[in-house]
Structures are given as structure tokens and as C-alpha cells.
Short mmCIF file of all heavy atoms in Angstrom, two decimals:
data_model
loop_
_atom_site.label_atom_id
_atom_site.label_comp_id
_atom_site.label_asym_id
_atom_site.label_seq_id
_atom_site.Cartn_x
_atom_site.Cartn_y
_atom_site.Cartn_z
N MET H 27 0.84 -1.21 0.00
CA MET H 27 0.00 0.00 0.00
C MET H 27 0.87 1.26 0.00
O MET H 27 0.59 2.23 -0.72
CB MET H 27 -0.92 -0.01 1.22
CG MET H 27 -1.99 -1.08 1.19
SD MET H 27 -2.95 -1.16 2.73
CE MET H 27 -3.67 0.49 2.76
N GLY H 28 1.94 1.22 0.81
CA GLY H 28 2.83 2.38 0.89
C GLY H 28 3.49 2.70 -0.43
O GLY H 28 3.57 3.87 -0.83
N LEU H 29 3.93 1.66 -1.14
CA LEU H 29 4.60 1.90 -2.42
C LEU H 29 3.63 2.43 -3.47
O LEU H 29 4.01 3.23 -4.33
CB LEU H 29 5.26 0.61 -2.91
CG LEU H 29 6.53 0.22 -2.16
CD1 LEU H 29 7.04 -1.13 -2.65
CD2 LEU H 29 7.62 1.28 -2.33
N ASN H 30 2.39 2.00 -3.41
CA ASN H 30 1.40 2.56 -4.32
C ASN H 30 1.22 4.06 -4.07
O ASN H 30 1.07 4.85 -5.01
CB ASN H 30 0.06 1.83 -4.17
CG ASN H 30 0.08 0.44 -4.77
OD1 ASN H 30 0.84 0.18 -5.69
ND2 ASN H 30 -0.74 -0.45 -4.24
N VAL H 31 1.24 4.44 -2.79
CA VAL H 31 1.14 5.86 -2.45
C VAL H 31 2.40 6.60 -2.90
O VAL H 31 2.33 7.74 -3.40
CB VAL H 31 0.92 6.05 -0.93
CG1 VAL H 31 0.91 7.53 -0.58
CG2 VAL H 31 -0.40 5.41 -0.51
N VAL H 32 3.58 5.95 -2.75
CA VAL H 32 4.84 6.55 -3.20
C VAL H 32 4.76 6.91 -4.68
O VAL H 32 5.10 8.02 -5.10
CB VAL H 32 6.03 5.59 -2.95
CG1 VAL H 32 7.26 6.05 -3.73
CG2 VAL H 32 6.35 5.53 -1.47
N ILE H 33 4.28 5.96 -5.48
CA ILE H 33 4.20 6.18 -6.93
C ILE H 33 3.22 7.31 -7.25
O ILE H 33 3.47 8.16 -8.11
CB ILE H 33 3.80 4.87 -7.65
CG1 ILE H 33 4.98 3.88 -7.55
CG2 ILE H 33 3.44 5.13 -9.10
CD1 ILE H 33 4.64 2.48 -8.00
N PHE H 34 2.09 7.34 -6.53
CA PHE H 34 1.13 8.44 -6.73
C PHE H 34 1.76 9.78 -6.39
O PHE H 34 1.62 10.76 -7.14
CB PHE H 34 -0.11 8.20 -5.86
CG PHE H 34 -1.07 9.37 -5.86
CD1 PHE H 34 -1.89 9.61 -6.96
CD2 PHE H 34 -1.12 10.24 -4.78
CE1 PHE H 34 -2.75 10.69 -6.98
CE2 PHE H 34 -1.99 11.32 -4.79
CZ PHE H 34 -2.81 11.55 -5.88
N LEU H 35 2.49 9.85 -5.27
CA LEU H 35 3.13 11.10 -4.86
C LEU H 35 4.17 11.55 -5.88
O LEU H 35 4.28 12.74 -6.21
CB LEU H 35 3.77 10.95 -3.48
CG LEU H 35 2.82 10.80 -2.30
CD1 LEU H 35 3.59 10.43 -1.04
CD2 LEU H 35 2.01 12.08 -2.07
N LEU H 36 4.95 10.59 -6.39
CA LEU H 36 5.96 10.93 -7.38
C LEU H 36 5.33 11.43 -8.67
O LEU H 36 5.81 12.37 -9.29
CB LEU H 36 6.86 9.71 -7.66
CG LEU H 36 7.84 9.34 -6.56
CD1 LEU H 36 8.44 7.98 -6.83
CD2 LEU H 36 8.94 10.38 -6.45
N ASN H 37 4.24 10.80 -9.07
CA ASN H 37 3.56 11.20 -10.30
C ASN H 37 2.90 12.56 -10.18
O ASN H 37 2.58 13.20 -11.19
CB ASN H 37 2.51 10.16 -10.69
CG ASN H 37 3.13 8.97 -11.41
OD1 ASN H 37 4.08 9.13 -12.15
ND2 ASN H 37 2.59 7.79 -11.18
N THR H 38 2.69 13.02 -8.95
CA THR H 38 2.07 14.34 -8.73
C THR H 38 3.09 15.34 -8.19
O THR H 38 2.73 16.32 -7.55
CB THR H 38 0.87 14.22 -7.77
OG1 THR H 38 1.29 13.54 -6.57
CG2 THR H 38 -0.27 13.44 -8.41
N ASP H 39 4.37 15.06 -8.46
CA ASP H 39 5.47 15.98 -8.14
C ASP H 39 5.65 16.25 -6.65
O ASP H 39 6.19 17.29 -6.26
CB ASP H 39 5.30 17.33 -8.87
CG ASP H 39 5.80 17.25 -10.31
OD1 ASP H 39 6.18 16.15 -10.73
OD2 ASP H 39 5.79 18.28 -11.00
N ARG H 40 5.21 15.33 -5.81
CA ARG H 40 5.41 15.49 -4.37
C ARG H 40 6.56 14.57 -3.93
O ARG H 40 6.36 13.60 -3.22
CB ARG H 40 4.11 15.22 -3.62
CG ARG H 40 3.13 16.37 -3.73
CD ARG H 40 1.82 16.08 -3.06
NE ARG H 40 0.95 15.25 -3.89
CZ ARG H 40 -0.28 14.88 -3.54
NH1 ARG H 40 -0.77 15.24 -2.38
NH2 ARG H 40 -1.00 14.13 -4.35
N GLY H 41 7.74 14.90 -4.44
CA GLY H 41 8.89 14.02 -4.29
C GLY H 41 9.37 13.86 -2.87
O GLY H 41 9.81 12.78 -2.48
N LEU H 42 9.33 14.92 -2.07
CA LEU H 42 9.87 14.83 -0.73
C LEU H 42 9.04 13.90 0.15
O LEU H 42 9.58 13.10 0.91
CB LEU H 42 9.94 16.23 -0.11
CG LEU H 42 10.81 17.24 -0.86
CD1 LEU H 42 10.90 18.55 -0.09
CD2 LEU H 42 12.21 16.67 -1.10
N GLN H 43 7.71 14.01 0.02
CA GLN H 43 6.85 13.10 0.79
C GLN H 43 7.05 11.65 0.32
O GLN H 43 7.08 10.72 1.13
CB GLN H 43 5.37 13.48 0.63
CG GLN H 43 5.02 14.86 1.17
CD GLN H 43 5.02 15.92 0.09
OE1 GLN H 43 5.92 15.99 -0.72
NE2 GLN H 43 3.99 16.76 0.11
N ALA H 44 7.20 11.49 -1.00
CA ALA H 44 7.41 10.15 -1.54
C ALA H 44 8.72 9.56 -1.04
O ALA H 44 8.79 8.37 -0.71
CB ALA H 44 7.42 10.21 -3.07
N THR H 45 9.75 10.39 -0.95
CA THR H 45 11.05 9.93 -0.47
C THR H 45 10.96 9.40 0.96
O THR H 45 11.46 8.31 1.27
CB THR H 45 12.06 11.09 -0.52
OG1 THR H 45 12.21 11.52 -1.87
CG2 THR H 45 13.41 10.67 0.03
N GLU H 46 10.30 10.15 1.82
CA GLU H 46 10.18 9.73 3.22
C GLU H 46 9.41 8.42 3.34
O GLU H 46 9.80 7.51 4.09
CB GLU H 46 9.48 10.83 4.01
CG GLU H 46 10.29 12.11 4.13
CD GLU H 46 9.50 13.26 4.74
OE1 GLU H 46 8.33 13.03 5.10
OE2 GLU H 46 10.06 14.37 4.86
N LEU H 47 8.31 8.31 2.59
CA LEU H 47 7.48 7.11 2.67
C LEU H 47 8.21 5.89 2.10
O LEU H 47 8.14 4.79 2.66
CB LEU H 47 6.16 7.33 1.93
CG LEU H 47 5.16 6.18 1.95
CD1 LEU H 47 4.84 5.75 3.38
CD2 LEU H 47 3.88 6.58 1.22
N CYS H 48 8.95 6.10 1.01
CA CYS H 48 9.68 4.99 0.39
C CYS H 48 10.74 4.45 1.34
O CYS H 48 10.92 3.23 1.47
CB CYS H 48 10.32 5.47 -0.91
SG CYS H 48 10.86 4.12 -1.97
N ASN H 49 11.44 5.33 2.02
CA ASN H 49 12.45 4.89 2.99
C ASN H 49 11.81 4.10 4.14
O ASN H 49 12.38 3.12 4.63
CB ASN H 49 13.23 6.09 3.53
CG ASN H 49 14.22 6.63 2.53
OD1 ASN H 49 14.75 5.90 1.71
ND2 ASN H 49 14.49 7.93 2.59
N GLU H 50 10.61 4.51 4.55
CA GLU H 50 9.90 3.78 5.61
C GLU H 50 9.54 2.37 5.13
O GLU H 50 9.61 1.41 5.90
CB GLU H 50 8.65 4.55 6.02
CG GLU H 50 8.95 5.83 6.80
CD GLU H 50 7.69 6.62 7.12
OE1 GLU H 50 6.59 6.08 6.91
OE2 GLU H 50 7.81 7.78 7.57
N CYS H 51 9.15 2.25 3.86
CA CYS H 51 8.81 0.94 3.31
C CYS H 51 10.02 0.01 3.30
O CYS H 51 9.91 -1.17 3.63
CB CYS H 51 8.28 1.09 1.88
SG CYS H 51 6.64 1.84 1.76
N ILE H 52 11.16 0.56 2.96
CA ILE H 52 12.38 -0.25 2.93
C ILE H 52 12.75 -0.71 4.34
O ILE H 52 13.14 -1.87 4.55
CB ILE H 52 13.54 0.55 2.31
CG1 ILE H 52 13.25 0.77 0.81
CG2 ILE H 52 14.87 -0.17 2.48
CD1 ILE H 52 14.21 1.72 0.14
N ILE H 53 12.60 0.17 5.31
CA ILE H 53 12.88 -0.20 6.70
C ILE H 53 11.95 -1.33 7.15
O ILE H 53 12.38 -2.28 7.81
CB ILE H 53 12.75 1.02 7.62
CG1 ILE H 53 13.87 2.02 7.35
CG2 ILE H 53 12.78 0.60 9.10
CD1 ILE H 53 13.68 3.37 8.02
N LEU H 54 10.68 -1.24 6.79
CA LEU H 54 9.72 -2.30 7.14
C LEU H 54 10.14 -3.64 6.54
O LEU H 54 10.09 -4.67 7.22
CB LEU H 54 8.33 -1.93 6.64
CG LEU H 54 7.53 -0.92 7.46
CD1 LEU H 54 6.24 -0.55 6.74
CD2 LEU H 54 7.21 -1.49 8.85
N LEU H 55 10.58 -3.62 5.28
CA LEU H 55 11.00 -4.87 4.64
C LEU H 55 12.24 -5.44 5.32
O LEU H 55 12.35 -6.66 5.50
CB LEU H 55 11.30 -4.62 3.16
CG LEU H 55 10.08 -4.48 2.25
CD1 LEU H 55 10.52 -4.20 0.82
CD2 LEU H 55 9.23 -5.74 2.28
N GLN H 56 13.16 -4.56 5.67
CA GLN H 56 14.37 -5.05 6.34
C GLN H 56 14.05 -5.67 7.69
O GLN H 56 14.72 -6.62 8.12
CB GLN H 56 15.37 -3.89 6.50
CG GLN H 56 15.96 -3.44 5.16
CD GLN H 56 16.73 -2.15 5.26
OE1 GLN H 56 16.52 -1.36 6.17
NE2 GLN H 56 17.62 -1.91 4.32
N ASN H 57 13.00 -5.19 8.33
CA ASN H 57 12.59 -5.75 9.62
C ASN H 57 11.99 -7.15 9.49
O ASN H 57 11.88 -7.87 10.48
CB ASN H 57 11.57 -4.83 10.29
CG ASN H 57 12.20 -3.56 10.81
OD1 ASN H 57 13.41 -3.51 11.05
ND2 ASN H 57 11.40 -2.52 10.98
N LEU H 58 11.61 -7.53 8.27
CA LEU H 58 11.09 -8.89 8.06
C LEU H 58 12.16 -9.93 8.34
O LEU H 58 11.87 -11.05 8.71
CB LEU H 58 10.61 -9.06 6.61
CG LEU H 58 9.21 -8.58 6.28
CD1 LEU H 58 8.96 -8.70 4.79
CD2 LEU H 58 8.16 -9.38 7.04
N ASP H 59 13.40 -9.53 8.11
CA ASP H 59 14.48 -10.50 8.28
C ASP H 59 15.71 -9.82 8.87
O ASP H 59 16.81 -9.95 8.37
CB ASP H 59 14.82 -11.14 6.93
CG ASP H 59 15.62 -12.42 7.11
OD1 ASP H 59 15.27 -13.20 8.01
OD2 ASP H 59 16.57 -12.62 6.36
N SER H 60 15.52 -9.08 9.94
CA SER H 60 16.63 -8.36 10.56
C SER H 60 17.66 -9.34 11.08
O SER H 60 17.34 -10.41 11.57
CB SER H 60 16.12 -7.49 11.70
OG SER H 60 15.47 -8.29 12.67
N GLY H 61 18.93 -8.95 10.94
CA GLY H 61 20.02 -9.79 11.42
C GLY H 61 20.55 -10.74 10.38
O GLY H 61 21.50 -11.46 10.62
#
């Protein structure tokens, strides 16, 4: 869901918000298999 919002934000020139959300998504994925 977050990445879909990231793409929407990028397509509407809201790059800074998209950047923050995309980094949060990556952190969530890394937490799936931390260590």
C-alpha cells in the first residue's frame, strides 16, 4: 500500500513526501528479516 502511495506522490510531483514514505517501506522490509 505504501509503495502505491509513493508512486502516486511521485507522479504528482510530491517528491519529498514520496522519499520519506519509500524509505519507511524499505525499513519495514528489512525488519522482516533483521540480522
Side-chain angles (χ1 to χ4, degrees):
M27 292 174 61
L29 286 175
N30 286 333
V31 176
V32 165
I33 291 170
F34 172 76
L35 290 171
L36 287 168
N37 279 325
T38 53
D39 279 4
R40 284 177 280 182
L42 300 185
Q43 297 97 315
T45 298
E46 294 171 2
L47 182 55
C48 195
N49 285 330
E50 289 177 10
C51 289
I52 292 171
I53 291 169
L54 282 173
L55 283 178
Q56 291 169 337
N57 288 338
L58 277 174
D59 197 42
S60 59

